[in-house]
Amino acid sequence: MHALVLMAADAAAGDSVNLWGALGCAVAYSASLLATLDAFADLILARGDSPAGRLTPGMGMKFASKLIAAAIAVVSAAIVLALDDNWFAFTTLSIAFVVVVGIGVIVLLRQPKVTVRPPASTGG
């Protein structure tokens, strides 16, 4: 009888959600979100500072590295949540990430590209 009670307790404990893991994944999602938005802001600022609104190689590398690091962190956190069977956290964090990044992309696309005009000649 005692072994049966222990087996039932182990089964009940196995169904609980790993809250520390979910918290760590939420932090990874939020850090990735901030890195993504920072990369978008860098791109918007670089368009205004560079000739013809193009990125310099250094700014392009900075932009891409932030996005790649954010993608690695989000995919890793999503895998951890899926392996923990924490589908609620997986779904809510993924939806929140996609919505906020989608808003950032819309803002990025609506930002006008800067074109450099030659200075007007003064007829002198």
Side-chain angles (χ1 to χ4, degrees):
M1 180 68 174
H2 183 63
L4 185 60
V5 170
L6 287 176
M7 287 175 48
D10 286 342
D15 292 341
S16 66
V17 174
N18 179 0
L19 294 178
W20 288 110
L23 178 63
C25 291
V27 169
Y29 268 88
S30 64
S32 298
L33 184 61
L34 292 175
T36 302
L37 294 177
D38 185 45
F40 289 166
D42 284 346
L43 185 61
I44 290 171
L45 292 172
R47 282 182 180 170
D49 293 342
S50 62
R54 300 192 66 195
L55 288 179
T56 62
M59 283 303 295
M61 185 178 290
K62 182 179 176 185
F63 175 73
S65 66
K66 285 181 183 180
L67 291 182
I68 290 169
I72 290 170
V74 165
V75 169
S76 299
I79 289 170
V80 168
L81 290 173
L83 290 175
D84 280 347
D85 289 332
N86 194 345
W87 299 110
F88 175 76
F90 175 83
T91 304
T92 54
L93 289 171
S94 297
I95 289 172
F97 184 82
V98 167
V99 166
V100 174
V101 169
I103 292 169
V105 167
I106 290 170
V107 168
L108 186 65
L109 293 176
R110 296 185 86 200
Q111 188 70 23
K113 291 186 178 180
V114 176
T115 58
V116 176
R117 295 182 186 168
S121 61
T122 57

mmCIF file of all heavy atoms in Angstrom, residues 9-59:
data_model
loop_
_atom_site.group_PDB
_atom_site.id
_atom_site.type_symbol
_atom_site.label_atom_id
_atom_site.label_comp_id
_atom_site.label_asym_id
_atom_site.label_seq_id
_atom_site.Cartn_x
_atom_site.Cartn_y
_atom_site.Cartn_z
ATOM 1 N N ALA A 9 1.977 9.706 -5.713
ATOM 2 C CA ALA A 9 2.583 11.005 -5.429
ATOM 3 C C ALA A 9 3.588 11.380 -6.515
ATOM 4 O O ALA A 9 3.662 12.544 -6.919
ATOM 5 C CB ALA A 9 3.256 10.986 -4.064
ATOM 6 N N ASP A 10 4.359 10.398 -6.996
ATOM 7 C CA ASP A 10 5.306 10.672 -8.072
ATOM 8 C C ASP A 10 4.582 11.052 -9.364
ATOM 9 O O ASP A 10 5.026 11.946 -10.092
ATOM 10 C CB ASP A 10 6.202 9.459 -8.336
ATOM 11 C CG ASP A 10 7.252 9.263 -7.257
ATOM 12 O OD1 ASP A 10 7.516 10.231 -6.508
ATOM 13 O OD2 ASP A 10 7.802 8.148 -7.172
ATOM 14 N N ALA A 11 3.487 10.405 -9.649
ATOM 15 C CA ALA A 11 2.718 10.716 -10.852
ATOM 16 C C ALA A 11 2.128 12.115 -10.758
ATOM 17 O O ALA A 11 2.125 12.870 -11.742
ATOM 18 C CB ALA A 11 1.617 9.689 -11.066
ATOM 19 N N ALA A 12 1.641 12.493 -9.591
ATOM 20 C CA ALA A 12 1.074 13.825 -9.406
ATOM 21 C C ALA A 12 2.161 14.897 -9.496
ATOM 22 O O ALA A 12 1.948 15.971 -10.045
ATOM 23 C CB ALA A 12 0.354 13.928 -8.070
ATOM 24 N N ALA A 13 3.336 14.601 -8.952
ATOM 25 C CA ALA A 13 4.438 15.569 -9.010
ATOM 26 C C ALA A 13 4.952 15.733 -10.429
ATOM 27 O O ALA A 13 5.407 16.803 -10.802
ATOM 28 C CB ALA A 13 5.568 15.126 -8.091
ATOM 29 N N GLY A 14 4.876 14.707 -11.239
ATOM 30 C CA GLY A 14 5.342 14.777 -12.616
ATOM 31 C C GLY A 14 4.457 15.645 -13.503
ATOM 32 O O GLY A 14 4.885 16.131 -14.523
ATOM 33 N N ASP A 15 3.212 15.869 -13.108
ATOM 34 C CA ASP A 15 2.284 16.668 -13.900
ATOM 35 C C ASP A 15 2.409 18.161 -13.639
ATOM 36 O O ASP A 15 1.797 18.953 -14.333
ATOM 37 C CB ASP A 15 0.842 16.224 -13.614
ATOM 38 C CG ASP A 15 0.571 14.828 -14.149
ATOM 39 O OD1 ASP A 15 1.331 14.381 -15.026
ATOM 40 O OD2 ASP A 15 -0.389 14.194 -13.686
ATOM 41 N N SER A 16 3.189 18.556 -12.647
ATOM 42 C CA SER A 16 3.291 19.976 -12.331
ATOM 43 C C SER A 16 4.196 20.683 -13.345
ATOM 44 O O SER A 16 5.054 20.089 -13.967
ATOM 45 C CB SER A 16 3.828 20.182 -10.916
ATOM 46 O OG SER A 16 5.158 19.722 -10.833
ATOM 47 N N VAL A 17 3.961 21.961 -13.470
ATOM 48 C CA VAL A 17 4.713 22.787 -14.418
ATOM 49 C C VAL A 17 5.984 23.283 -13.751
ATOM 50 O O VAL A 17 5.982 23.643 -12.582
ATOM 51 C CB VAL A 17 3.840 23.978 -14.879
ATOM 52 C CG1 VAL A 17 4.628 24.925 -15.739
ATOM 53 C CG2 VAL A 17 2.612 23.479 -15.607
ATOM 54 N N ASN A 18 7.068 23.300 -14.487
ATOM 55 C CA ASN A 18 8.338 23.816 -14.001
ATOM 56 C C ASN A 18 8.292 25.344 -14.066
ATOM 57 O O ASN A 18 8.540 25.940 -15.105
ATOM 58 C CB ASN A 18 9.481 23.258 -14.848
ATOM 59 C CG ASN A 18 10.825 23.759 -14.411
ATOM 60 O OD1 ASN A 18 10.949 24.529 -13.465
ATOM 61 N ND2 ASN A 18 11.854 23.329 -15.114
ATOM 62 N N LEU A 19 7.960 25.972 -12.943
ATOM 63 C CA LEU A 19 7.798 27.424 -12.928
ATOM 64 C C LEU A 19 9.117 28.154 -13.121
ATOM 65 O O LEU A 19 9.157 29.202 -13.756
ATOM 66 C CB LEU A 19 7.123 27.859 -11.630
ATOM 67 C CG LEU A 19 5.679 27.389 -11.457
ATOM 68 C CD1 LEU A 19 5.130 27.841 -10.123
ATOM 69 C CD2 LEU A 19 4.810 27.887 -12.595
ATOM 70 N N TRP A 20 10.201 27.611 -12.585
ATOM 71 C CA TRP A 20 11.504 28.261 -12.765
ATOM 72 C C TRP A 20 11.936 28.213 -14.225
ATOM 73 O O TRP A 20 12.503 29.164 -14.756
ATOM 74 C CB TRP A 20 12.563 27.626 -11.867
ATOM 75 C CG TRP A 20 12.357 27.978 -10.433
ATOM 76 C CD1 TRP A 20 11.941 27.152 -9.436
ATOM 77 C CD2 TRP A 20 12.531 29.265 -9.825
ATOM 78 N NE1 TRP A 20 11.840 27.835 -8.262
ATOM 79 C CE2 TRP A 20 12.205 29.133 -8.464
ATOM 80 C CE3 TRP A 20 12.917 30.507 -10.300
ATOM 81 C CZ2 TRP A 20 12.259 30.199 -7.579
ATOM 82 C CZ3 TRP A 20 12.975 31.566 -9.418
ATOM 83 C CH2 TRP A 20 12.649 31.405 -8.078
ATOM 84 N N GLY A 21 11.660 27.101 -14.865
ATOM 85 C CA GLY A 21 11.970 26.995 -16.289
ATOM 86 C C GLY A 21 11.138 27.964 -17.110
ATOM 87 O O GLY A 21 11.637 28.599 -18.038
ATOM 88 N N ALA A 22 9.860 28.083 -16.762
ATOM 89 C CA ALA A 22 8.991 29.018 -17.471
ATOM 90 C C ALA A 22 9.449 30.456 -17.258
ATOM 91 O O ALA A 22 9.432 31.267 -18.189
ATOM 92 C CB ALA A 22 7.546 28.851 -17.016
ATOM 93 N N LEU A 23 9.880 30.772 -16.040
ATOM 94 C CA LEU A 23 10.375 32.118 -15.761
ATOM 95 C C LEU A 23 11.644 32.406 -16.565
ATOM 96 O O LEU A 23 11.791 33.484 -17.157
ATOM 97 C CB LEU A 23 10.648 32.291 -14.273
ATOM 98 C CG LEU A 23 11.214 33.637 -13.841
ATOM 99 C CD1 LEU A 23 10.217 34.744 -14.141
ATOM 100 C CD2 LEU A 23 11.568 33.612 -12.377
ATOM 101 N N GLY A 24 12.553 31.452 -16.609
ATOM 102 C CA GLY A 24 13.775 31.618 -17.399
ATOM 103 C C GLY A 24 13.470 31.791 -18.871
ATOM 104 O O GLY A 24 14.094 32.616 -19.563
ATOM 105 N N CYS A 25 12.506 31.050 -19.378
ATOM 106 C CA CYS A 25 12.134 31.180 -20.789
ATOM 107 C C CYS A 25 11.453 32.523 -21.051
ATOM 108 O O CYS A 25 11.658 33.122 -22.113
ATOM 109 C CB CYS A 25 11.228 30.025 -21.194
ATOM 110 S SG CYS A 25 12.102 28.448 -21.238
ATOM 111 N N ALA A 26 10.661 32.996 -20.093
ATOM 112 C CA ALA A 26 10.032 34.312 -20.251
ATOM 113 C C ALA A 26 11.089 35.408 -20.306
ATOM 114 O O ALA A 26 10.978 36.356 -21.092
ATOM 115 C CB ALA A 26 9.052 34.568 -19.114
ATOM 116 N N VAL A 27 12.140 35.265 -19.500
ATOM 117 C CA VAL A 27 13.235 36.235 -19.533
ATOM 118 C C VAL A 27 13.953 36.167 -20.889
ATOM 119 O O VAL A 27 14.291 37.198 -21.468
ATOM 120 C CB VAL A 27 14.216 35.997 -18.363
ATOM 121 C CG1 VAL A 27 15.484 36.806 -18.521
ATOM 122 C CG2 VAL A 27 13.540 36.317 -17.040
ATOM 123 N N ALA A 28 14.154 34.960 -21.403
ATOM 124 C CA ALA A 28 14.800 34.816 -22.712
ATOM 125 C C ALA A 28 13.954 35.438 -23.816
ATOM 126 O O ALA A 28 14.478 36.121 -24.707
ATOM 127 C CB ALA A 28 15.067 33.340 -23.010
ATOM 128 N N TYR A 29 12.635 35.221 -23.762
ATOM 129 C CA TYR A 29 11.745 35.829 -24.744
ATOM 130 C C TYR A 29 11.810 37.354 -24.659
ATOM 131 O O TYR A 29 11.887 38.041 -25.676
ATOM 132 C CB TYR A 29 10.299 35.386 -24.512
ATOM 133 C CG TYR A 29 9.873 34.171 -25.289
ATOM 134 C CD1 TYR A 29 10.050 32.895 -24.792
ATOM 135 C CD2 TYR A 29 9.235 34.302 -26.519
ATOM 136 C CE1 TYR A 29 9.625 31.778 -25.488
ATOM 137 C CE2 TYR A 29 8.810 33.193 -27.223
ATOM 138 C CZ TYR A 29 9.004 31.934 -26.703
ATOM 139 O OH TYR A 29 8.583 30.849 -27.408
ATOM 140 N N SER A 30 11.763 37.902 -23.440
ATOM 141 C CA SER A 30 11.748 39.361 -23.312
ATOM 142 C C SER A 30 13.084 39.967 -23.747
ATOM 143 O O SER A 30 13.106 41.015 -24.391
ATOM 144 C CB SER A 30 11.400 39.778 -21.884
ATOM 145 O OG SER A 30 12.392 39.340 -20.982
ATOM 146 N N ALA A 31 14.188 39.313 -23.414
ATOM 147 C CA ALA A 31 15.492 39.817 -23.865
ATOM 148 C C ALA A 31 15.591 39.761 -25.387
ATOM 149 O O ALA A 31 16.123 40.682 -26.021
ATOM 150 C CB ALA A 31 16.618 39.011 -23.224
ATOM 151 N N SER A 32 15.068 38.721 -25.982
ATOM 152 C CA SER A 32 15.070 38.602 -27.443
ATOM 153 C C SER A 32 14.189 39.670 -28.080
ATOM 154 O O SER A 32 14.530 40.232 -29.121
ATOM 155 C CB SER A 32 14.577 37.226 -27.861
ATOM 156 O OG SER A 32 15.438 36.239 -27.365
ATOM 157 N N LEU A 33 13.080 39.946 -27.441
ATOM 158 C CA LEU A 33 12.193 40.971 -27.949
ATOM 159 C C LEU A 33 12.865 42.339 -27.914
ATOM 160 O O LEU A 33 12.815 43.105 -28.885
ATOM 161 C CB LEU A 33 10.905 40.995 -27.135
ATOM 162 C CG LEU A 33 9.816 41.946 -27.574
ATOM 163 C CD1 LEU A 33 9.363 41.611 -28.983
ATOM 164 C CD2 LEU A 33 8.655 41.872 -26.622
ATOM 165 N N LEU A 34 13.533 42.641 -26.812
ATOM 166 C CA LEU A 34 14.240 43.913 -26.709
ATOM 167 C C LEU A 34 15.384 44.002 -27.712
ATOM 168 O O LEU A 34 15.618 45.062 -28.303
ATOM 169 C CB LEU A 34 14.752 44.124 -25.287
ATOM 170 C CG LEU A 34 13.660 44.351 -24.236
ATOM 171 C CD1 LEU A 34 14.268 44.419 -22.852
ATOM 172 C CD2 LEU A 34 12.870 45.600 -24.539
ATOM 173 N N ALA A 35 16.104 42.915 -27.925
ATOM 174 C CA ALA A 35 17.191 42.914 -28.909
ATOM 175 C C ALA A 35 16.647 43.131 -30.316
ATOM 176 O O ALA A 35 17.251 43.851 -31.126
ATOM 177 C CB ALA A 35 17.969 41.607 -28.835
ATOM 178 N N THR A 36 15.507 42.535 -30.612
ATOM 179 C CA THR A 36 14.899 42.701 -31.930
ATOM 180 C C THR A 36 14.456 44.142 -32.150
ATOM 181 O O THR A 36 14.728 44.737 -33.203
ATOM 182 C CB THR A 36 13.698 41.745 -32.086
ATOM 183 O OG1 THR A 36 14.153 40.403 -31.896
ATOM 184 C CG2 THR A 36 13.066 41.871 -33.449
ATOM 185 N N LEU A 37 13.792 44.714 -31.149
ATOM 186 C CA LEU A 37 13.352 46.103 -31.279
ATOM 187 C C LEU A 37 14.540 47.062 -31.340
ATOM 188 O O LEU A 37 14.492 48.077 -32.046
ATOM 189 C CB LEU A 37 12.409 46.461 -30.136
ATOM 190 C CG LEU A 37 11.074 45.705 -30.134
ATOM 191 C CD1 LEU A 37 10.248 46.092 -28.921
ATOM 192 C CD2 LEU A 37 10.301 45.911 -31.408
ATOM 193 N N ASP A 38 15.605 46.745 -30.621
ATOM 194 C CA ASP A 38 16.821 47.562 -30.682
ATOM 195 C C ASP A 38 17.436 47.494 -32.079
ATOM 196 O O ASP A 38 17.920 48.498 -32.610
ATOM 197 C CB ASP A 38 17.815 47.098 -29.621
ATOM 198 C CG ASP A 38 19.039 47.988 -29.555
ATOM 199 O OD1 ASP A 38 18.879 49.228 -29.571
ATOM 200 O OD2 ASP A 38 20.160 47.445 -29.489
ATOM 201 N N ALA A 39 17.420 46.325 -32.683
ATOM 202 C CA ALA A 39 17.940 46.180 -34.041
ATOM 203 C C ALA A 39 17.096 46.992 -35.023
ATOM 204 O O ALA A 39 17.639 47.642 -35.924
ATOM 205 C CB ALA A 39 17.958 44.707 -34.456
ATOM 206 N N PHE A 40 15.775 46.975 -34.851
ATOM 207 C CA PHE A 40 14.910 47.780 -35.716
ATOM 208 C C PHE A 40 15.212 49.269 -35.539
ATOM 209 O O PHE A 40 15.248 50.018 -36.516
ATOM 210 C CB PHE A 40 13.437 47.508 -35.413
ATOM 211 C CG PHE A 40 12.947 46.154 -35.844
ATOM 212 C CD1 PHE A 40 11.742 45.671 -35.396
ATOM 213 C CD2 PHE A 40 13.693 45.351 -36.693
ATOM 214 C CE1 PHE A 40 11.275 44.433 -35.783
ATOM 215 C CE2 PHE A 40 13.241 44.105 -37.085
ATOM 216 C CZ PHE A 40 12.015 43.649 -36.627
ATOM 217 N N ALA A 41 15.405 49.704 -34.296
ATOM 218 C CA ALA A 41 15.719 51.121 -34.041
ATOM 219 C C ALA A 41 17.052 51.493 -34.671
ATOM 220 O O ALA A 41 17.183 52.580 -35.244
ATOM 221 C CB ALA A 41 15.738 51.379 -32.538
ATOM 222 N N ASP A 42 18.043 50.607 -34.563
ATOM 223 C CA ASP A 42 19.334 50.867 -35.220
ATOM 224 C C ASP A 42 19.163 51.042 -36.715
ATOM 225 O O ASP A 42 19.791 51.905 -37.332
ATOM 226 C CB ASP A 42 20.321 49.723 -34.955
ATOM 227 C CG ASP A 42 20.903 49.752 -33.564
ATOM 228 O OD1 ASP A 42 20.765 50.784 -32.868
ATOM 229 O OD2 ASP A 42 21.504 48.732 -33.165
ATOM 230 N N LEU A 43 18.320 50.218 -37.307
ATOM 231 C CA LEU A 43 18.090 50.290 -38.752
ATOM 232 C C LEU A 43 17.429 51.610 -39.132
ATOM 233 O O LEU A 43 17.820 52.252 -40.105
ATOM 234 C CB LEU A 43 17.245 49.111 -39.210
ATOM 235 C CG LEU A 43 17.003 48.977 -40.704
ATOM 236 C CD1 LEU A 43 18.315 48.802 -41.447
ATOM 237 C CD2 LEU A 43 16.080 47.824 -40.991
ATOM 238 N N ILE A 44 16.450 52.036 -38.346
ATOM 239 C CA ILE A 44 15.776 53.302 -38.633
ATOM 240 C C ILE A 44 16.749 54.465 -38.491
ATOM 241 O O ILE A 44 16.797 55.367 -39.338
ATOM 242 C CB ILE A 44 14.560 53.484 -37.703
ATOM 243 C CG1 ILE A 44 13.458 52.484 -38.092
ATOM 244 C CG2 ILE A 44 14.028 54.907 -37.765
ATOM 245 C CD1 ILE A 44 12.313 52.417 -37.110
ATOM 246 N N LEU A 45 17.560 54.448 -37.431
ATOM 247 C CA LEU A 45 18.530 55.520 -37.235
ATOM 248 C C LEU A 45 19.608 55.513 -38.310
ATOM 249 O O LEU A 45 20.050 56.566 -38.762
ATOM 250 C CB LEU A 45 19.170 55.411 -35.853
ATOM 251 C CG LEU A 45 18.227 55.692 -34.676
ATOM 252 C CD1 LEU A 45 18.918 55.373 -33.364
ATOM 253 C CD2 LEU A 45 17.737 57.121 -34.715
ATOM 254 N N ALA A 46 20.034 54.326 -38.732
ATOM 255 C CA ALA A 46 21.080 54.232 -39.753
ATOM 256 C C ALA A 46 20.584 54.744 -41.095
ATOM 257 O O ALA A 46 21.355 55.303 -41.870
ATOM 258 C CB ALA A 46 21.551 52.787 -39.886
ATOM 259 N N ARG A 47 19.314 54.572 -41.361
ATOM 260 C CA ARG A 47 18.767 55.074 -42.623
ATOM 261 C C ARG A 47 18.891 56.592 -42.703
ATOM 262 O O ARG A 47 19.117 57.147 -43.762
ATOM 263 C CB ARG A 47 17.306 54.686 -42.765
ATOM 264 C CG ARG A 47 17.079 53.272 -43.176
ATOM 265 C CD ARG A 47 15.606 53.029 -43.336
ATOM 266 N NE ARG A 47 15.323 51.668 -43.741
ATOM 267 C CZ ARG A 47 14.108 51.139 -43.768
ATOM 268 N NH1 ARG A 47 13.070 51.871 -43.412
ATOM 269 N NH2 ARG A 47 13.933 49.911 -44.142
ATOM 270 N N GLY A 48 18.728 57.258 -41.568
ATOM 271 C CA GLY A 48 18.818 58.706 -41.566
ATOM 272 C C GLY A 48 20.242 59.217 -41.581
ATOM 273 O O GLY A 48 20.498 60.333 -42.018
ATOM 274 N N ASP A 49 21.190 58.415 -41.116
ATOM 275 C CA ASP A 49 22.578 58.865 -41.009
ATOM 276 C C ASP A 49 23.443 58.507 -42.205
ATOM 277 O O ASP A 49 24.489 59.098 -42.407
ATOM 278 C CB ASP A 49 23.225 58.275 -39.744
ATOM 279 C CG ASP A 49 22.614 58.830 -38.480
ATOM 280 O OD1 ASP A 49 21.954 59.891 -38.559
ATOM 281 O OD2 ASP A 49 22.786 58.209 -37.417
ATOM 282 N N SER A 50 23.054 57.524 -42.958
ATOM 283 C CA SER A 50 23.925 57.057 -44.038
ATOM 284 C C SER A 50 23.443 57.607 -45.383
ATOM 285 O O SER A 50 22.280 57.934 -45.545
ATOM 286 C CB SER A 50 23.957 55.528 -44.064
ATOM 287 O OG SER A 50 22.671 55.018 -44.322
ATOM 288 N N PRO A 51 24.353 57.669 -46.346
ATOM 289 C CA PRO A 51 23.967 58.189 -47.656
ATOM 290 C C PRO A 51 22.958 57.278 -48.351
ATOM 291 O O PRO A 51 23.099 56.063 -48.338
ATOM 292 C CB PRO A 51 25.285 58.241 -48.428
ATOM 293 C CG PRO A 51 26.244 57.404 -47.671
ATOM 294 C CD PRO A 51 25.746 57.311 -46.265
ATOM 295 N N ALA A 52 21.954 57.897 -48.902
ATOM 296 C CA ALA A 52 20.898 57.209 -49.660
ATOM 297 C C ALA A 52 20.155 56.178 -48.822
ATOM 298 O O ALA A 52 19.516 55.285 -49.358
ATOM 299 C CB ALA A 52 21.466 56.564 -50.922
ATOM 300 N N GLY A 53 20.217 56.299 -47.511
ATOM 301 C CA GLY A 53 19.464 55.403 -46.649
ATOM 302 C C GLY A 53 19.946 53.973 -46.618
ATOM 303 O O GLY A 53 19.239 53.085 -46.191
ATOM 304 N N ARG A 54 21.182 53.729 -47.046
ATOM 305 C CA ARG A 54 21.725 52.371 -47.079
ATOM 306 C C ARG A 54 22.532 52.102 -45.822
ATOM 307 O O ARG A 54 23.063 53.017 -45.210
ATOM 308 C CB ARG A 54 22.603 52.186 -48.307
ATOM 309 C CG ARG A 54 21.791 52.422 -49.585
ATOM 310 C CD ARG A 54 22.506 51.996 -50.784
ATOM 311 N NE ARG A 54 22.656 50.542 -50.712
ATOM 312 C CZ ARG A 54 23.484 49.873 -51.475
ATOM 313 N NH1 ARG A 54 24.247 50.492 -52.325
ATOM 314 N NH2 ARG A 54 23.567 48.567 -51.376
ATOM 315 N N LEU A 55 22.639 50.840 -45.475
ATOM 316 C CA LEU A 55 23.421 50.438 -44.304
ATOM 317 C C LEU A 55 24.887 50.295 -44.658
ATOM 318 O O LEU A 55 25.221 49.784 -45.725
ATOM 319 C CB LEU A 55 22.929 49.098 -43.763
ATOM 320 C CG LEU A 55 21.596 49.078 -43.047
ATOM 321 C CD1 LEU A 55 21.278 47.655 -42.612
ATOM 322 C CD2 LEU A 55 21.613 49.986 -41.855
ATOM 323 N N THR A 56 25.723 50.701 -43.749
ATOM 324 C CA THR A 56 27.147 50.407 -43.897
ATOM 325 C C THR A 56 27.345 48.942 -43.537
ATOM 326 O O THR A 56 26.493 48.341 -42.869
ATOM 327 C CB THR A 56 27.984 51.298 -42.963
ATOM 328 O OG1 THR A 56 27.616 51.020 -41.611
ATOM 329 C CG2 THR A 56 27.779 52.772 -43.275
ATOM 330 N N PRO A 57 28.442 48.327 -43.956
ATOM 331 C CA PRO A 57 28.662 46.920 -43.614
ATOM 332 C C PRO A 57 28.659 46.666 -42.098
ATOM 333 O O PRO A 57 28.121 45.662 -41.630
ATOM 334 C CB PRO A 57 30.022 46.606 -44.226
ATOM 335 C CG PRO A 57 30.149 47.556 -45.360
ATOM 336 C CD PRO A 57 29.464 48.812 -44.897
ATOM 337 N N GLY A 58 29.233 47.582 -41.331
ATOM 338 C CA GLY A 58 29.257 47.415 -39.880
ATOM 339 C C GLY A 58 27.867 47.456 -39.268
ATOM 340 O O GLY A 58 27.530 46.660 -38.396
ATOM 341 N N MET A 59 27.038 48.388 -39.732
ATOM 342 C CA MET A 59 25.667 48.474 -39.219
ATOM 343 C C MET A 59 24.843 47.263 -39.655
ATOM 344 O O MET A 59 24.012 46.770 -38.904
ATOM 345 C CB MET A 59 24.995 49.766 -39.691
ATOM 346 C CG MET A 59 25.430 51.007 -38.953
ATOM 347 S SD MET A 59 25.182 50.920 -37.165
ATOM 348 C CE MET A 59 23.412 50.828 -37.061
#
